[in-house]
């Protein structure tokens, strides 16, 4: 088996790994880079037999529309919906790729390869690690992005208890190799901080987080239950929750009694213009709608899941006193310009605004060093290859059998 990391050997995001035999080629992820200085990659020139997408984050799937549409793309069914709907809300054309669905722990054969997806814990629904076996007996394990401190941690504990055997090479993500997760070690810690922030608030609270971070939305919902508050979501978040509930019925939903849906004009317009895609979703969402007037009548009763781009909504509530702004995502977004991430510049000023109680409450979607060490010890690979990390040079300080690759450099196993 021949291995080439096209991108991701020493950066976080933009992952793209090629596995080849004499007759078949796979790509593991086709990610959009997070860094503007990332190595350019003409992914359209690779022409694999298939692409495996580990999870629906753009730094793992964001380049698939540059791939020949006849090439099969394998991913989870929920993941497929979650990469489609943002494009609709952004007014972009839909993907025209040839999508095929993966099922947890169910092997699929692609040319010379057999691929087994392992469902893992990550800050994204339906995230997979992959066992890839060639017909010559070589066995590679790709960790994808994972953690062991989310609400699905049992998946990783089960995998480490019964790991695949005789792994020739492990691609191990190292996002957190030089970062600490001590302040908020798990989702319970985040939930407690949200609860403490909103339980005696005198004005509305906004929670800045990804609509696809389901664990975080569950944490927010639980904090609302504990404090007697109501969770407010937008149409996009409501749609995401509906998709995830197909596989996890315990996920909060727009028709729950302590959840309300706020109808943003642009999102509402998108639903009306795409009735074939959304069906009766808009009609059902309106059954649990909350209006601006209702929110402003008693703002202290609400926790509003929001985005940087919605900062003008936050500004409006300053008339009722200082707002709570719970920042629950990567702090690195605060140095972005509005061109990179609309609304980032306004939010970056909020820690210095006397009308904003800026609270940080976030735990990573990635495993810290101790859990990476546990994971590698369970897999016992003959070769451990760093991926999705800015510090591949430090892997040898913590792991055995490390083989560092550079982008574009081949390795045969």
């Amino acid at each position: 088996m021949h291995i080439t990391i096209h991108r991701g050997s020493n950066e976080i995001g933009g992952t793209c790994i090629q596995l080849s035999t004499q007759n078949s080629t796979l790509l593991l992820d086709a990610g959009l880079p997070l860094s503007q200085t990332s190595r350019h990659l003409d992914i359209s020139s690779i022409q694999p037999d298939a692409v495996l997408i580990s999870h629906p984050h753009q730094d793992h799937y964001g380049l698939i529309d540059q791939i020949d549409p006849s090439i099969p793309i394998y991913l989870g069914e929920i993941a497929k919906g979650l990469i489609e709907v943002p494009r609709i809300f952004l007014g972009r054309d839909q993907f025209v790729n040839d999508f095929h669905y993966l099922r947890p722990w169910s092997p699929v054969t692609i040319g010379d390869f057999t691929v087994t997806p392992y469902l893992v814990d990550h800050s994204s629904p339906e995230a997979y690690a992959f066992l890839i076996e060639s017909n010559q007996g070589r066995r590679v394990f790709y960790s994808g992005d994972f953690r062991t401190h989310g609400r699905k941690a049992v998946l990783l504990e089960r995998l480490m208890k019964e790991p695949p055997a005789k792994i020739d090479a492990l691609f191990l993500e190292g996002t957190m190799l030089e970062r600490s997760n001590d302040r908020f070690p798990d989702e319970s810690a985040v939930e407690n901080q949200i609860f403490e922030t909103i339980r005696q608030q005198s004005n509305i609270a906004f929670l800045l987080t990804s609509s696809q971070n389901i664990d975080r939305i569950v944490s927010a919902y639980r904090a609302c239950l504990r404090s007697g508050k109501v969770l407010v979501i937008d149409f996009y978040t409501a749609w995401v929750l509906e998709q995830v509930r197909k596989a996890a019925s315990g996920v909060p939903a727009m028709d729950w009694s302590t959840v309300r849906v706020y109808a943003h004009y642009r999102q509402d317009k998108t639903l009306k213009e795409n009735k074939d895609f959304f069906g009766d979703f808009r009609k059902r969402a309106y059954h649990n709608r909350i209006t601006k007037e209702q929110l402003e009548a008693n703002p202290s009763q609400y926790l509003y899941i929001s985005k940087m781009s919605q900062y003008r909504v936050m500004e409006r509530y300053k008339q009722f006193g200082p707002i709570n702004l719970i920042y629950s995502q990567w702090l690195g977004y605060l140095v972005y310009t509005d061109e990179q991430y609309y609304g980032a510049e306004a939010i970056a000023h909020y820690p210095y605004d006397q009308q904003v109680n800026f609270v940080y409450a976030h735990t990573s979607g990635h495993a810290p060093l101790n859990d990476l060490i546990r994971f590698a010890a369970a897999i016992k690979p003959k070769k451990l290859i760093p991926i999705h990390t800015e510090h591949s040079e430090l892997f040898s300080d913590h792991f055995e059998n490390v083989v560092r690759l550079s982008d574009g450099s081949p390795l045969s196993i």
Side-chain angles (χ1 to χ4, degrees):
M1 186 188 297
H2 306 289
I3 295 170
T4 302
I5 299 177
H6 290 290
R7 188 167 52 215
S9 63
N10 204 39
E11 69 179 284
I12 296 170
T15 305
C16 184
I17 305 169
Q18 178 176 326
L19 304 180
S20 298
T21 64
Q22 186 173 354
N23 302 308
S24 303
T25 296
L26 290 181
L27 284 188
L28 307 181
D29 284 331
L32 190 70
L34 297 175
S35 171
Q36 291 185 322
T37 61
S38 181
R39 175 177 181 264
H40 174 71
L41 175 61
D42 180 10
I43 200 168
S44 64
S45 66
I46 299 175
Q47 295 294 307
D49 294 286
V51 181
L52 305 175
I53 300 300
S54 60
H55 63 281
H57 280 164
Q58 283 205 56
D59 63 323
H60 291 262
Y61 78 81
L63 296 183
I64 61 172
D65 53 0
Q66 298 181 20
I67 293 171
D68 185 326
S70 67
I71 294 173
I73 307 288
Y74 287 81
L75 76 174
E77 185 172 2
I78 291 174
K80 163 65 160 43
L82 296 184
I83 71 173
E84 273 189 325
V85 74
R87 294 173 76 100
I88 293 178
F89 278 105
L90 291 172
R92 297 174 59 188
D93 293 337
Q94 285 300 286
F95 293 107
V96 294
N97 303 85
D98 178 21
F99 290 106
H100 297 254
Y101 297 142
L102 297 167
R103 298 286 183 268
W105 308 287
S106 297
V108 295
T109 299
I110 305 169
D112 289 346
F113 296 102
T114 299
V115 178
T116 304
Y118 284 73
L119 199 61
V120 297
D121 180 24
H122 183 44
S123 55
S124 170
E126 207 168 36
Y128 286 123
F130 295 119
L131 171 64
I132 302 103
E133 304 168 86
S134 77
N135 60 0
Q136 298 298 313
R138 298 301 186 191
R139 294 164 61 86
V140 169
F141 199 86
Y142 173 46
S143 73
D145 290 358
F146 75 99
R147 63 180 179 178
T148 59
H149 55 270
R151 298 190 181 278
K152 304 179 292 297
V154 64
L155 294 169
L156 265 300
E157 298 299 335
R158 186 185 304 159
L159 172 56
M160 289 188 286
K161 186 176 180 181
E162 300 178 3
K166 299 179 180 179
I167 298 300
D168 294 292
L170 166 65
F171 292 101
L172 181 64
E173 74 121 312
T175 309
M176 294 286 288
L177 202 69
E178 285 288 282
R179 301 181 186 179
S180 171
N181 207 38
D182 293 344
R183 186 176 174 189
F184 294 98
D186 54 31
E187 283 294 330
S188 294
V190 175
E191 176 189 325
N192 289 335
Q193 182 63 72
I194 297 172
F195 167 72
E196 290 297 334
T197 303
I198 68 176
R199 67 189 181 101
Q200 293 183 327
Q201 65 185 13
S202 58
N203 195 2
I204 195 168
F206 294 93
L207 178 70
L208 287 189
T209 193
S210 167
S211 294
Q212 295 194 20
N213 190 340
I214 303 303
D215 281 8
R216 194 60 39 81
I217 293 174
V218 171
S219 295
Y221 176 77
R222 288 167 57 93
C224 284
L225 283 185
R226 292 167 60 187
S227 58
K229 307 300 182 185
V230 174
L231 186 67
V232 179
I233 60 178
D234 61 13
F235 282 134
Y236 172 61
T237 305
W239 174 263
V240 168
L241 293 174
E242 281 225 333
Q243 307 319 298
V244 177
R245 277 176 56 83
K246 295 174 183 177
S249 59
V251 170
M254 63 182 182
D255 57 354
W256 287 16
S257 60
T258 52
V259 178
R260 295 291 184 273
V261 181
Y262 186 81
H264 290 277
Y265 171 76
R266 289 185 180 179
Q267 291 186 355
D268 193 46
K269 185 170 181 283
T270 297
L271 296 183
K272 288 189 286 187
E273 291 175 349
N274 293 273
K275 291 181 181 179
D276 289 344
F277 183 88
F278 289 104
D280 67 345
F281 170 76
R282 179 176 179 269
K283 180 180 179 181
R284 290 185 292 108
Y286 264 79
H287 289 160
N288 220 34
R289 181 192 178 196
I290 191 166
T291 65
K292 179 181 71 172
E293 291 74 20
Q294 289 171 316
L295 283 172
E296 292 180 354
N298 194 7
S300 65
Q301 284 301 107
Y302 302 104
L303 173 61
Y304 188 130
I305 292 181
S306 192
K307 305 290 180 292
M308 285 183 169
S309 60
Q310 297 170 1
Y311 69 92
R312 288 189 177 89
V313 177
M314 304 171 207
E315 288 290 318
R316 187 165 65 237
Y317 286 88
K318 289 181 182 180
Q319 64 181 300
F320 305 111
I323 62 171
N324 283 319
L325 192 287
I326 306 170
Y327 189 90
S328 194
Q329 56 191 10
W330 181 48
L331 286 167
Y333 292 130
L334 293 178
V335 302
Y336 279 29
T337 65
D338 281 350
E339 288 184 357
Q340 295 169 302
Y341 199 142
Y342 182 69
E345 294 175 25
I347 301 301
H349 284 97
Y350 276 181
Y352 314 102
D353 188 332
Q354 293 186 347
Q355 286 293 96
V356 179
N357 176 33
F358 188 94
V359 177
Y360 178 68
H362 179 60
T363 192
S364 177
H366 303 270
L369 178 58
N370 287 343
D371 288 333
L372 293 173
I373 291 172
R374 285 202 304 135
F375 187 81
I379 300 295
K380 297 183 177 68
K382 294 177 183 177
K383 293 180 173 64
L384 188 151
I385 303 172
I387 192 72
H388 207 276
T389 179
E390 295 173 338
H391 298 285
S392 64
E393 76 281 0
L394 300 181
F395 269 64
S396 294
D397 296 342
H398 306 289
F399 305 98
E400 297 179 351
N401 307 318
V402 174
V403 177
R404 289 179 62 199
L405 297 180
S406 299
D407 288 354
S409 297
L411 172 71
S412 296
I413 60 172

